[in-house]
Amino acid sequence: MGRDSEVARLSAMIHAVRDHGAALVLQGEAGIGKSALLARAAATARTAGLRVLTMAGTEAEAHLPFGGLHQMLYPVHDAFGLLPAGQQAALRAALGLSDETVPDAFLVGFAVLNLLAELADTTPTLIVAEDAHWLDAATADVLSFLARRLESEPILLLAAVRTGAGVTRWTGAGLPELTVRPLSDAAAADLLGQSKAGLTPPERHRLLAEAAGNPLALIELPAAVAATRGTLAAPWLPLTDRLERAFVDRAAGLPPDTLAALQVAALNDGAALAEIEDANAALTGHPVGAEALRPAVDARLVEIDDDRLTFRHPLIRSAVHQNAGPARRRDVHQALAGVLTTDPDRRTWHLASAADRPDETVAAALEAVAARAQRRGGAATAVAALDRAARLSPDPWRRADRLLRAADAGVDLGRTEVVDRLLGAARELDLTAGQRARAAWIGAAFDDGMRDRETDATTLAGLAGETAAAGDLDLGVRILWSAALRCFWSEPGPDARRRIVAVAEGLPLDPHDARLLAILAYAAPIDRGAVVIERSREVLAQPLPDPRAVRLLGSAAVLVGSFDVALAQSAASLTGLRTQGRLQLLARALAAQAWSAVHLVDLAVAIPAAQEASDLAEETGQPYLLGLIRASQAKLAALRGDFDGARRLAGEAERRGLPVGARPVLATAQHARALAALGEGDHAEALERLLRLHDPGDPSYQPALRCHTIGDLADAAAHAGRAELIAPVIAEMERAAARTPSPSLHDGLRLARALLGDDPSAYEDALAQDLDRRPFTRARAELAYGEWLRRRRRVAESRQPLRAARDAFDALGAVPWGDRARRELRAAGERSGQRAAAATDRLTAHEFQIAQLAAQGLTNRDIGKRLYISHRTVGAHLAKIFPKIGVTSRVQLREALEG
C-alpha cells in the first residue's frame, strides 16, 4: 500500500532485464516494507517468466562462510557442470560440496557470474537478497563482485539492507540505491484502517503519530495497544524497542513447550524443523512435535513451510532471543550442540555460545573451525572463530597466539577497526618476542604501512631479523618485505635502507629468491641495482611456475630501471594470477606493467593495463595503488596530447597521495604535469616541476623513480636555457650510474649529455645503443640530434633524423612529440602530412583491451574469463567497437589494430 512509485521502478527493471541487467540496494529502517517490495518483485518476475533465486541473511548464520550463496545456488546446483573445471571446483569448494581449498574469493565470484550467465541464456534471472546486511561476508563479497558486472546480462539483483545496521559490505559500495521511506499519511491511515483491534479515535491518532508511517508498526502494534488500554498516556519506547516488546508480550502468552521451541528456533543457526524438535526435546526432557509450534504460527510469529521454520520478521527473532536471558540461552545452545553431532562447525559454535568460562577443548575446536573456514575462503568466519577461541583459552600464550592469528586473518578483510581491537587485546598480555614481532608486523600491514605511524622501517627490519633468527624464516621475510615497501611508499632515510639490506643479505635465503631480489630492489635500487639485474636475468633464464614470484621480479625491475624486463615479467605473471583469482596481486602486476609501458610509450600495453589495474585496485580496496595508477594514467594522457586530462588525473592522484605522503604517487603525478608542460612547450614549468622530484625535502622525492626523469629534466633545462640549474642533479646521477647498470638511468644520462653539451659524438653515442625495445628513447635522441643539426645550419642533414623521429612518434602515439618533430621539419624546409588516427584514438580503454584480445583470436568466453566479465558483456562491447573503427569481422579488426 502506498508504494506505487517503488513498485513501478522495480517492475520496470524486471521488464527491461532481457535488454540489460542491473543491481539495486533497497535501504530502510526495520519494518519499513523492504520485504514486501522484494516479495512483490519476485511475484512480478515469476509472472514475467524469470527464474527467481533467493537468499536471506540472519544474525545466527552470519558466521557460516558462503551460507547465503548456498541458499541461492542450491536450486541450480545441477547446472554447475556448465562451468569450466576450475570454476566448477572453486564453486563446489565454496559451497562445501568438496574438501578442496577455496581459491581467491574473486574466482568464486567469477564462477557465480558465469553460471548465472549460462542459465540466463535461456531464462533471465532475478536474485533477491533479504536482510543482506546479515549475509556472511564471503557471500556479500561475491554479490558485490556480481553487482558490478550485470549491465550486459539478463540478470537483476535486488538486496535489502537495514538502515543503521552498522558497517557492512554494502556500506559505500557505490551501487544504485532505493531508499524505502515511511508511508504517506493517507496510506498509513488506510493500512491502519484494516486493523480489527477496535481502536478508539484517540488510540488511532496516537498510533499513527508514533508509527510514523512504518508499516510493520501499523500492522503489529494495534493489538498491543488494545491489550494495554489505560497505559496509553505513558511515554512510548523507540519504535523498534516497542515492536520487540509487542512481540515479547505475544510470545509470553504461548504454552511453555511452544515458547521453548521458539527459543530454540531463535538461537539455531539453521531452520530445519527436525533440529528444533530434537533440541527442544533435550531441553524440556520430553518429545515435542511440530504441533507444539502451532500456537506460534497462529500468533503470527513464525511460518512453517514443509520441514523449515522461519520467523515472520527479524525483530521477532531478536525479541525472543533477548528475552530468553543469558542462562536460558546457554542451555538452548547446549541442547542444539547435542543435536548437531554430524555438523562439527555448527556444533562448535553452539558449544562456544554455551560456555561461560574458559574451555581449551572448545577453543581448540574453534581453531579447527577457523582452519576450515579459511580453506573455504571465509576470512570473516576465521576471524570470529579465532577471536572466540582466544576468549575461551585458559593459557595466556595460546590466547595471545589466537588473537594474533585472528588479527592476521582480519587484514584480509580490510577491517582496520577489527584488527586494531584484536591487536589491542593481544598487547595487554605478556607477549613473547616472536609474538611482539608478529603484532608489529600485522599492525603495519594495512595500505602498505602508509597509515601506520608507530612502526618505522628500521624497527620492522630489526623484527624481521629477530624473527628469522628465532626459526620463523617465512614470517621474517614477510616482515622485511613490509619494511622494504616503506622504502617505496615513503622515505625512511639511508640508514633504514642500509639496515634492511643488511638484514636481507643475512637471511638464509637462496640468492636468487624472488622475495630477496624484490626487497633489495625496493630498499636499495641504486646500490643493489647490479645485483638485482644480474640475478634476475639468471632466474628468468629458467621457467618460473609461481606467478607471484614472476610478479615480484617484474616489480623489482621497475625499481632498478629495466622497463622492458618489467613489462615482460609483469605480463608473464598475469595468466597465473587470473587463474588463481588473486585480484589484489593482479592489480599490482598490471600497475607495474602499466607504469613500465607508459615510460616506454607502449600505448597498446599501457592503455588497457592501466584501465584494468585501476578497476581492480578500486574493487580490491587499494587506495594508494589506485593513486599511483591515476598518476600513470596522467602521464599517459600527457604523452598522447591530452593535457587537460593529464592535469585532471594528476590532481586526482595528488588528492589520494598527499594526505599520507605517498611519494611514488606524488612523484609520478609531478612527472605527468612536467610532461604536459613539455608537450605544450612550457619548458620553464616543466623544469620547475622536474626539479622538485630531485629535492629530498619535497614530498615528490622518490629515490628510485627520480632516476627515470633525467632525459625529461635535460630536455626542459636545455630548451629553457637553464642548464646550470640541473648541473648538481646530473653530477649526482652520474655518480649513481657508476654503481648501477640501470638502462633507464643510462639512457637518460646519454640524452642529457647530448642535450646539454655541444659534441656530436654524444648524439652518436646515444643512437649507437641497442634501443630496439626502447623506440621512444631512440626517437627522442633522433629528435634532439635533428634539432642540433638544424640549429647549426646543417639543414639537409637534420631532415633524416627528424623524419625518423616523427615517424616513430606517430607510430607510438606520442602526439606532442610527433608535432614537435613536424615543426622542426617545417623549419628545415620539409612539410609533413597529418598523423592518421589510430584505434587507440577512437576506442575507450576497455574497448581497446577487448579489441586486442579479439584480434588475437580469443573467443568471447575466453576474453570474459581473462577480464572477469561474462561473454555477453564482451559481445556487447564488440558490437560498439566494430562500427567505431569501421570493421565487420575479427580479421579486419586485427588488420585495423596492426595498422
Side-chain angles (χ1 to χ4, degrees):
M1 298 183 67
R3 299 296 191 197
D4 291 348
S5 63
E6 293 92 339
V7 168
R9 179 172 177 181
L10 295 176
S11 296
M13 295 176 73
I14 290 167
H15 289 96
V17 74
R18 286 178 168 83
D19 297 323
H20 59 82
L24 183 68
V25 178
L26 282 69
Q27 293 265 12
E29 64 184 27
I32 203 65
K34 303 182 295 296
S35 296
L37 284 168
L38 291 181
R40 176 65 175 270
T44 302
R46 291 188 179 98
T47 301
L50 275 66
R51 174 186 291 104
V52 178
L53 300 176
T54 64
M55 69 181 78
T58 65
E59 283 185 287
E61 297 178 17
H63 62 274
L64 302 176
F66 293 109
L69 197 64
H70 194 284
Q71 293 178 48
M72 181 182 97
L73 294 183
Y74 188 77
V76 294
H77 72 277
D78 290 341
F80 288 6
L82 296 172
L83 294 172
Q87 294 176 35
Q88 185 180 161
L91 201 51
R92 290 180 60 80
L95 299 185
L97 302 177
S98 77
D99 293 329
E100 297 291 324
T101 298
V102 175
D104 195 289
F106 291 106
L107 185 58
V108 177
F110 187 49
V112 173
L113 173 63
N114 278 340
L115 176 67
L116 295 177
E118 292 284 355
L119 294 172
D121 279 341
T122 55
T123 308
T125 299
L126 169 65
I127 301 168
V128 174
E130 283 258 27
D131 292 316
H133 49 280
W134 282 330
L135 286 171
D136 61 276
T139 293
D141 284 341
V142 167
L143 290 186
S144 180
F145 177 92
L146 189 67
R148 294 183 176 89
R149 290 164 170 81
L150 296 181
E151 182 179 356
S152 300
E153 307 299 329
I155 301 170
L156 178 61
L157 168 63
L158 301 177
V161 177
R162 182 185 296 182
T163 303
V167 178
T168 70
R169 288 299 196 279
W170 306 94
T171 306
L175 299 175
E177 294 182 357
L178 169 62
T179 299
V180 184
R181 302 187 184 282
L183 293 175
S184 67
D185 290 346
D190 287 344
L191 181 56
L192 185 59
Q194 297 187 3
S195 169
K196 303 187 185 313
L199 299 175
T200 66
E203 289 170 338
R204 177 183 172 85
H205 178 76
R206 178 69 181 274
L207 201 151
L208 282 170
E210 296 290 347
N214 184 290
L216 185 65
L218 292 164
I219 292 169
E220 300 293 348
L221 290 183
V225 170
T228 56
R229 285 195 171 102
T231 62
L232 189 61
W236 280 30
L237 296 168
L239 183 60
T240 299
D241 292 344
R242 185 163 177 77
L243 280 167
E244 288 195 348
R245 175 69 60 82
F247 294 136
V248 166
D249 292 343
R250 196 181 303 173
L254 297 173
D257 283 354
T258 305
L259 179 58
L262 211 57
Q263 291 169 338
V264 171
L267 272 71
N268 193 15
D269 52 359
L273 201 55
E275 293 175 358
I276 297 169
E277 293 173 357
D278 290 348
N280 199 20
L283 195 65
T284 60
H286 59 270
V288 179
E291 68 279 359
L293 284 162
R294 177 53 53 187
V297 175
D298 294 340
R300 300 176 65 250
L301 295 172
V302 298
E303 296 174 346
I304 297 177
D305 182 16
D306 295 330
D307 60 351
R308 296 178 65 81
L309 178 147
T310 56
F311 285 87
R312 289 189 60 251
H313 194 276
L315 287 179
I316 301 174
R317 183 177 202 143
S318 175
V320 174
H321 179 282
Q322 294 300 325
N323 198 55
R328 179 64 169 180
R329 289 198 293 268
R330 286 195 294 272
D331 290 342
V332 171
H333 282 299
Q334 193 70 50
L336 283 165
V339 168
L340 297 170
T341 55
T342 60
D343 193 332
D345 284 6
R346 291 177 61 204
R347 180 175 186 273
T348 298
W349 280 113
H350 286 294
L351 286 173
S353 297
D356 59 353
R357 66 195 65 189
D359 187 324
E360 178 57 30
T361 301
V362 178
L366 282 166
E367 273 195 298
V369 169
R372 287 190 289 270
Q374 286 181 311
R375 284 200 300 272
R376 290 187 58 194
T381 301
V383 171
L386 288 167
D387 184 11
R388 184 72 175 125
R391 281 180 278 155
L392 290 173
S393 301
D395 179 63
W397 184 89
R398 288 185 180 275
R399 186 180 312 137
D401 180 66
R402 287 161 176 161
L403 284 168
L404 292 174
R405 288 165 56 198
D408 194 357
V411 173
D412 292 337
L413 296 176
R415 297 285 297 274
T416 54
E417 73 283 1
V418 171
V419 175
D420 288 345
R421 175 180 63 77
L422 292 166
L423 289 179
R427 285 167 175 153
E428 292 177 359
L429 303 172
D430 185 16
L431 301 181
T432 65
Q435 288 174 332
R436 287 196 301 274
R438 190 167 189 175
W441 170 67
I442 293 169
F446 277 109
D447 298 327
D448 296 310
M450 291 303 295
R451 294 188 184 277
D452 179 35
R453 302 300 183 190
E454 297 180 5
T455 314
D456 60 27
T458 303
T459 301
L460 285 173
L463 289 172
E466 293 169 8
T467 303
D472 196 338
L473 177 61
D474 182 65
L475 179 58
V477 173
R478 291 164 71 190
I479 296 172
L480 195 61
W481 174 237
S482 295
L485 282 173
R486 301 294 180 95
C487 298
F488 178 67
W489 290 103
S490 60
E491 180 42 52
D495 290 341
R497 290 175 179 272
R498 283 191 288 269
R499 175 66 171 144
I500 292 168
V501 169
V503 172
E505 294 180 335
L507 294 177
L509 291 173
D510 183 330
H512 295 87
D513 190 308
R515 297 171 299 171
L516 173 61
L517 297 180
I519 289 169
L520 295 177
Y522 274 67
I526 293 173
D527 289 334
R528 292 299 183 272
V531 170
V532 172
I533 290 171
E534 179 58 32
R535 290 184 190 171
S536 294
R537 186 181 297 116
E538 294 168 0
V539 172
L540 297 174
Q542 306 295 325
L544 281 175
D546 185 355
R548 291 171 295 181
V550 179
R551 183 199 74 83
L552 280 176
L553 292 176
S555 179
V558 174
L559 274 294
V560 297
S562 297
F563 294 117
D564 49 353
V565 174
L567 207 61
Q569 294 313 306
S570 296
S573 72
L574 300 182
T575 299
L577 295 175
R578 291 185 199 281
T579 300
Q580 296 172 4
R582 298 181 184 277
L583 296 202
Q584 286 184 317
L585 294 182
L586 180 59
R588 292 185 173 239
L590 286 163
Q593 184 186 39
W595 206 100
S596 304
V598 169
H599 189 83
L600 296 172
V601 197
D602 187 344
L603 301 191
V605 173
I607 292 172
Q611 183 61 57
E612 188 180 3
S614 171
D615 294 341
L616 292 176
E618 194 159 18
E619 185 160 35
T620 57
Q622 300 183 80
Y624 308 121
L625 180 67
L626 180 58
L628 182 57
I629 296 162
R630 285 284 184 269
S632 296
Q633 289 175 313
K635 285 178 64 175
L636 187 57
L639 289 165
R640 300 175 72 187
D642 179 7
F643 305 128
D644 290 340
R647 283 185 281 268
R648 174 179 54 79
L649 287 162
E652 182 182 340
E654 287 163 345
R655 285 191 293 275
R656 293 179 181 277
L658 273 171
V660 293
R663 288 178 181 264
V665 176
L666 302 177
T668 305
Q670 199 68 251
H671 194 186
R673 291 184 181 278
L675 288 173
L678 277 177
E680 291 178 311
D682 190 342
H683 299 101
E685 182 189 348
L687 178 60
E688 178 185 351
R689 293 193 175 279
L690 288 164
L691 280 170
R692 290 182 58 182
L693 273 71
H694 296 273
D695 177 3
D698 192 283
S700 302
Y701 177 84
Q702 210 288 338
L705 301 189
R706 74 185 187 118
C707 295
H708 314 317
T709 65
I710 301 305
D712 297 321
L713 182 68
D715 194 358
H719 286 85
R722 301 301 305 274
E724 76 283 356
L725 287 181
I726 69 168
V729 174
I730 297 298
E732 181 187 1
M733 290 293 98
E734 291 282 10
R735 291 191 294 273
R739 307 198 303 275
T740 176
S742 165
S744 175
L745 176 57
H746 284 275
D747 283 347
L749 285 170
R750 277 189 286 267
L751 182 59
R753 294 180 200 120
L755 286 166
L756 301 174
D758 195 27
D759 184 353
S761 65
Y763 292 101
E764 293 168 4
D765 180 45
L767 291 168
Q769 306 302 313
D770 180 8
L771 298 174
D772 288 346
R773 290 181 294 181
R774 304 195 292 281
F776 185 68
T777 299
R778 174 179 290 280
R780 291 193 73 174
E782 288 170 330
L783 174 60
Y785 187 38
E787 290 174 333
W788 183 84
L789 289 170
R790 193 186 65 77
R791 287 196 302 272
R792 276 143 190 81
R793 302 187 182 279
R794 296 164 61 178
V795 176
E797 293 177 68
S798 73
R799 292 173 188 154
Q800 189 279 327
L802 290 173
R803 200 180 296 126
R806 176 202 62 198
D807 294 345
F809 290 138
D810 284 355
L812 292 168
V815 175
W817 276 261
D819 290 345
R820 182 168 148 186
R822 280 178 171 76
R823 289 193 297 271
E824 287 292 329
L825 274 169
R826 188 162 51 248
E830 179 175 310
R831 291 192 174 278
S832 305
Q834 290 300 309
R835 170 181 173 271
T840 53
D841 303 320
R842 288 174 281 179
L843 301 177
T844 67
H846 281 299
E847 290 170 344
F848 184 63
Q849 184 177 30
I850 289 172
Q852 281 183 316
L853 297 173
Q856 294 170 18
L858 273 68
T859 67
N860 288 7
R861 291 182 187 278
D862 291 336
I863 296 170
K865 183 177 179 181
R866 181 172 297 194
L867 302 182
Y868 287 87
I869 56 179
S870 78
H871 65 90
R872 190 177 284 101
T873 299
V874 175
H877 277 296
L878 286 172
K880 298 176 183 177
I881 290 167
F882 279 26
K884 277 190 175 184
I885 56 178
V887 302
T888 58
S889 70
R890 295 191 182 217
V891 173
Q892 292 178 328
L893 179 63
R894 183 169 60 252
E895 293 171 351
L897 294 183
E898 290 174 352

